[in-house]
Short mmCIF file of all heavy atoms in Angstrom, two decimals:
data_model
loop_
_atom_site.label_atom_id
_atom_site.label_comp_id
_atom_site.label_asym_id
_atom_site.label_seq_id
_atom_site.Cartn_x
_atom_site.Cartn_y
_atom_site.Cartn_z
N LEU H 276 -70.33 -1.29 -12.39
CA LEU H 276 -69.55 -2.51 -12.38
C LEU H 276 -68.15 -2.26 -11.91
O LEU H 276 -67.22 -3.14 -12.00
CB LEU H 276 -69.45 -3.11 -13.84
CG LEU H 276 -70.83 -3.49 -14.41
CD1 LEU H 276 -70.71 -4.20 -15.72
CD2 LEU H 276 -71.64 -4.32 -13.47
N ALA H 277 -67.87 -1.07 -11.30
CA ALA H 277 -66.67 -0.87 -10.50
C ALA H 277 -65.33 -1.07 -11.33
O ALA H 277 -64.46 -1.62 -10.70
CB ALA H 277 -66.66 -1.57 -9.16
N GLY H 278 -65.30 -0.78 -12.57
CA GLY H 278 -64.07 -0.91 -13.23
C GLY H 278 -63.76 -2.26 -13.71
O GLY H 278 -62.60 -2.59 -14.19
N ARG H 279 -64.65 -3.25 -13.58
CA ARG H 279 -64.45 -4.58 -13.98
C ARG H 279 -64.04 -4.71 -15.47
O ARG H 279 -64.54 -3.98 -16.33
CB ARG H 279 -65.78 -5.36 -13.77
CG ARG H 279 -65.94 -6.75 -14.37
CD ARG H 279 -67.27 -7.31 -14.04
NE ARG H 279 -67.61 -8.56 -14.76
CZ ARG H 279 -68.71 -9.26 -14.56
NH1 ARG H 279 -69.63 -8.64 -13.82
NH2 ARG H 279 -68.97 -10.25 -15.25
N LYS H 280 -63.15 -5.69 -15.81
CA LYS H 280 -62.72 -5.79 -17.22
C LYS H 280 -63.73 -6.74 -17.91
O LYS H 280 -64.16 -7.78 -17.43
CB LYS H 280 -61.39 -6.50 -17.32
CG LYS H 280 -60.89 -6.59 -18.73
CD LYS H 280 -59.42 -6.99 -18.81
CE LYS H 280 -59.34 -8.58 -18.58
NZ LYS H 280 -58.02 -9.09 -18.92
N VAL H 281 -64.21 -6.29 -19.06
CA VAL H 281 -65.24 -7.08 -19.91
C VAL H 281 -64.58 -7.28 -21.23
O VAL H 281 -64.20 -6.36 -21.97
CB VAL H 281 -66.59 -6.31 -19.98
CG1 VAL H 281 -67.47 -7.03 -20.91
CG2 VAL H 281 -67.17 -6.23 -18.57
N VAL H 282 -64.43 -8.55 -21.62
CA VAL H 282 -63.80 -8.85 -22.92
C VAL H 282 -64.91 -9.03 -23.96
O VAL H 282 -65.84 -9.85 -23.93
CB VAL H 282 -63.00 -10.12 -22.82
CG1 VAL H 282 -62.37 -10.47 -24.18
CG2 VAL H 282 -61.91 -10.01 -21.77
N VAL H 283 -64.72 -8.23 -25.00
CA VAL H 283 -65.70 -8.20 -26.05
C VAL H 283 -65.12 -8.59 -27.39
O VAL H 283 -64.00 -8.16 -27.75
CB VAL H 283 -66.30 -6.67 -26.26
CG1 VAL H 283 -67.27 -6.69 -27.37
CG2 VAL H 283 -66.91 -6.20 -25.02
N VAL H 284 -65.71 -9.59 -28.10
CA VAL H 284 -65.18 -10.15 -29.31
C VAL H 284 -65.99 -9.69 -30.57
O VAL H 284 -67.21 -9.58 -30.49
CB VAL H 284 -65.11 -11.64 -29.22
CG1 VAL H 284 -66.51 -12.29 -29.05
CG2 VAL H 284 -64.31 -12.33 -30.43
N THR H 285 -65.30 -9.48 -31.61
CA THR H 285 -65.93 -9.19 -32.86
C THR H 285 -65.11 -9.68 -34.03
O THR H 285 -63.95 -10.10 -33.83
CB THR H 285 -66.25 -7.71 -32.92
OG1 THR H 285 -66.97 -7.39 -34.15
CG2 THR H 285 -64.97 -6.88 -33.05
N GLU H 286 -65.67 -9.63 -35.22
CA GLU H 286 -64.89 -10.11 -36.35
C GLU H 286 -64.26 -8.98 -37.27
O GLU H 286 -63.38 -9.17 -38.02
CB GLU H 286 -65.83 -10.91 -37.30
CG GLU H 286 -65.12 -11.66 -38.45
CD GLU H 286 -66.13 -12.34 -39.29
OE1 GLU H 286 -67.32 -12.07 -39.37
OE2 GLU H 286 -65.66 -13.37 -40.05
N ASN H 287 -64.73 -7.78 -37.02
CA ASN H 287 -64.23 -6.58 -37.80
C ASN H 287 -64.44 -6.77 -39.29
O ASN H 287 -63.55 -6.42 -40.04
CB ASN H 287 -62.77 -6.31 -37.47
CG ASN H 287 -62.59 -5.55 -36.20
OD1 ASN H 287 -63.48 -4.80 -35.76
ND2 ASN H 287 -61.39 -5.63 -35.60
N ALA H 288 -65.58 -7.32 -39.67
CA ALA H 288 -65.81 -7.55 -41.09
C ALA H 288 -67.20 -7.11 -41.58
O ALA H 288 -67.71 -7.69 -42.52
CB ALA H 288 -65.54 -9.05 -41.42
N TYR H 289 -67.79 -6.23 -40.84
CA TYR H 289 -69.19 -5.92 -41.08
C TYR H 289 -69.44 -4.41 -41.07
O TYR H 289 -70.10 -3.82 -40.25
CB TYR H 289 -70.00 -6.52 -40.02
CG TYR H 289 -71.41 -7.04 -40.43
CD1 TYR H 289 -72.18 -7.76 -39.50
CD2 TYR H 289 -71.99 -6.66 -41.65
CE1 TYR H 289 -73.47 -8.16 -39.86
CE2 TYR H 289 -73.25 -7.13 -41.98
CZ TYR H 289 -74.02 -7.91 -41.05
OH TYR H 289 -75.29 -8.31 -41.39
N PRO H 290 -68.88 -3.61 -42.03
CA PRO H 290 -69.05 -2.17 -42.00
C PRO H 290 -70.52 -1.80 -42.27
O PRO H 290 -71.16 -2.52 -43.09
CB PRO H 290 -68.16 -1.70 -43.11
CG PRO H 290 -67.97 -2.82 -44.00
CD PRO H 290 -68.13 -4.09 -43.14
N PRO H 291 -71.05 -0.75 -41.71
CA PRO H 291 -70.34 0.14 -40.72
C PRO H 291 -70.52 -0.26 -39.34
O PRO H 291 -70.38 0.61 -38.45
CB PRO H 291 -71.00 1.53 -41.09
CG PRO H 291 -72.40 1.21 -41.45
CD PRO H 291 -72.34 -0.17 -42.11
N LEU H 292 -70.98 -1.53 -39.02
CA LEU H 292 -71.14 -1.92 -37.66
C LEU H 292 -69.81 -2.05 -36.92
O LEU H 292 -69.54 -1.45 -35.86
CB LEU H 292 -71.93 -3.17 -37.48
CG LEU H 292 -73.39 -3.15 -37.90
CD1 LEU H 292 -73.93 -4.52 -37.78
CD2 LEU H 292 -74.15 -2.17 -36.94
N GLN H 293 -68.82 -2.74 -37.59
CA GLN H 293 -67.45 -2.85 -37.01
C GLN H 293 -66.58 -3.28 -38.19
O GLN H 293 -66.91 -4.15 -39.00
CB GLN H 293 -67.34 -3.86 -35.82
CG GLN H 293 -68.40 -4.87 -35.65
CD GLN H 293 -68.48 -5.98 -36.69
OE1 GLN H 293 -67.45 -6.25 -37.34
NE2 GLN H 293 -69.58 -6.60 -36.78
N PHE H 294 -65.37 -2.60 -38.21
CA PHE H 294 -64.53 -2.85 -39.42
C PHE H 294 -63.18 -2.18 -39.11
O PHE H 294 -63.06 -1.42 -38.12
CB PHE H 294 -65.14 -2.29 -40.73
CG PHE H 294 -65.29 -0.78 -40.69
CD1 PHE H 294 -64.44 0.09 -41.27
CD2 PHE H 294 -66.50 -0.30 -40.00
CE1 PHE H 294 -64.67 1.46 -41.25
CE2 PHE H 294 -66.67 1.15 -40.02
CZ PHE H 294 -65.78 1.97 -40.64
N ILE H 295 -62.19 -2.54 -39.96
CA ILE H 295 -60.90 -1.92 -39.81
C ILE H 295 -60.82 -0.79 -40.95
O ILE H 295 -61.03 -0.97 -42.12
CB ILE H 295 -59.75 -2.91 -40.07
CG1 ILE H 295 -59.79 -4.01 -39.05
CG2 ILE H 295 -58.45 -2.18 -40.06
CD1 ILE H 295 -59.54 -3.58 -37.62
N ASP H 296 -60.67 0.52 -40.49
CA ASP H 296 -60.57 1.53 -41.40
C ASP H 296 -59.35 1.32 -42.34
O ASP H 296 -58.21 1.04 -42.01
CB ASP H 296 -60.40 2.89 -40.62
CG ASP H 296 -60.41 4.11 -41.52
OD1 ASP H 296 -59.37 4.48 -42.09
OD2 ASP H 296 -61.50 4.66 -41.74
#
Side-chain angles (χ1 to χ4, degrees):
L276 300 187
R279 168 179 171 181
K280 184 173 78 172
V281 175
V282 181
V283 178
V284 63
T285 188
E286 190 180 22
N287 279 336
Y289 210 174
L292 289 178
Q293 21 71 25
F294 61 100
I295 300 296
D296 185 270

